[in-house]
Amino acid sequence: MSESSLRAIVLRRTDSGESDRRLTLLTFELGKIDAIAKGARKGNSRLGAVSEPLSVAVMSLAPGRHARFVTQAQQSRSFRKMRTSFDRLSFALALTELYAAVLPYEEPVPEVFELLERSLQELEAHEQPLVAFIWCQCKLLEVSGFWPSFDTCVTDGSSVVVAEPWLSPEAGGFLSEESANEYTDRFRTRAEVLYGLARIVDLDVPPANLKFAVPTTLALLPFWKHFVDYRLPSYEYACQICRDSS
């Protein structure tokens, strides 16, 4: 396998060895992959800034015996404006953590790469970053095949008719009063939350406003925990920001 040039977004980084960084990348050409940026933690490294999460770059990757190595990188976007806003940055890091968690390795879907790039642009520019964050999550749930049923009961097909309906990640979404007792992970939310979720996923861009944005975010948290079998610290922290703001 020869050296290749890839369009990449850094989803996650961890320290490796004395000065390296192990990166999880979403690439246009190969999908999600791991790579090592050797010496990226050194003060004079050309790979330092470009190996930070949220960086968008063209990277040259060389194959090793057990890993790929970043040999060169030309940053095309770093979302500098987003890095000056605590909430925007927190939501963006939570989003890339979700992409890293739910996407399979080496299954290239160019539309998913383009969706993440567009989602980060929306998080940087939207007047209400929490609304953009919810839209970004819904689009990821849809393209990854995890989208729950929020408008009809997953067991009997009935519609939402009560003010505080049940949700169950195990069941796959909304549950009617009659079927809810079968699921121990059920929890109640507002009917407006379900109406909003069912509508927002069909939009090509985030809406300008969304009523009950905080309870909507908190309603999505149990679903992500169900889909991913390990902790999501950045996402949980973003949810704590929402709780504190309510």
Side-chain angles (χ1 to χ4, degrees), residues 170-245:
E170 182 183 355
F174 160 61
L175 290 169
S176 65
E177 296 296 302
E178 293 75 20
S179 59
N181 288 336
E182 299 177 27
Y183 297 92
T184 58
D185 69 338
R186 67 189 186 278
F187 64 95
R188 287 196 183 275
T189 187
R190 305 180 66 116
E192 294 89 346
V193 166
L194 302 193
Y195 301 148
L197 286 168
R199 180 178 66 90
I200 198 172
V201 72
D202 292 328
L203 302 178
D204 292 331
V205 295
N209 297 287
L210 182 67
K211 284 188 175 182
F212 308 109
V214 171
T216 299
T217 300
L218 299 181
L220 290 172
L221 173 60
F223 285 90
W224 288 119
K225 286 184 173 181
H226 178 74
F227 300 142
V228 179
D229 59 1
Y230 53 84
R231 287 194 65 238
L232 297 167
S234 295
Y235 186 79
E236 291 173 10
Y237 185 68
C239 289
Q240 187 58 52
I241 292 173
C242 295
R243 291 190 187 95
D244 294 343
S245 68

